[in-house]
């Protein structure tokens, strides 16, 4: 997939645990792991907005596009 998920980068910058971030966003740690590992087929805008609010960042800080080889 050409979309790269950088939630873990922002999470490390904010020194926030998976459990704490999941609680703030309102999703389970398992669902957060699916998002972080790039295995999600889709993400709701409300979830993306909650991630941005919790991590104090922009959507572009969490998602980026790279061309496929």
């Amino acid at each position: 997939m050409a979309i790269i998920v950088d939630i873990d980068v922002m999470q490390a910058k904010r020194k926030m645990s998976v459990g704490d971030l999941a609680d703030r966003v309102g999703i389970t740690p398992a669902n957060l792991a699916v998002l972080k590992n790039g295995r999600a087929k889709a993400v709701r805008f409300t979830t993306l907005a909650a991630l941005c609010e919790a991590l104090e960042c922009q959507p572009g800080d969490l998602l980026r596009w790279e061309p496929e080889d």
Side-chain angles (χ1 to χ4, degrees):
M1 178 184 279
I3 301 295
I4 308 300
V5 181
D6 287 328
I7 293 173
D8 54 343
V9 173
M10 292 305 298
Q11 183 182 346
K13 286 182 179 179
R14 303 296 187 251
K15 296 180 172 75
M16 193 176 297
S17 71
V18 172
D20 189 31
L21 181 57
D23 286 344
R24 291 182 187 203
V25 174
I27 61 175
T28 65
N31 283 340
L32 181 57
V34 169
L35 287 172
K36 286 175 53 173
N37 295 329
R39 291 179 290 159
K41 300 277 186 211
V43 60
R44 293 178 188 261
F45 282 153
T46 54
T47 303
L48 184 58
L51 283 165
C52 290
E53 183 176 353
L55 294 169
E56 298 177 356
C57 66
Q58 294 294 314
D61 297 324
L62 302 177
L63 303 171
R64 60 188 162 90
W65 176 83
E66 285 189 3
E68 294 189 33
D69 296 335

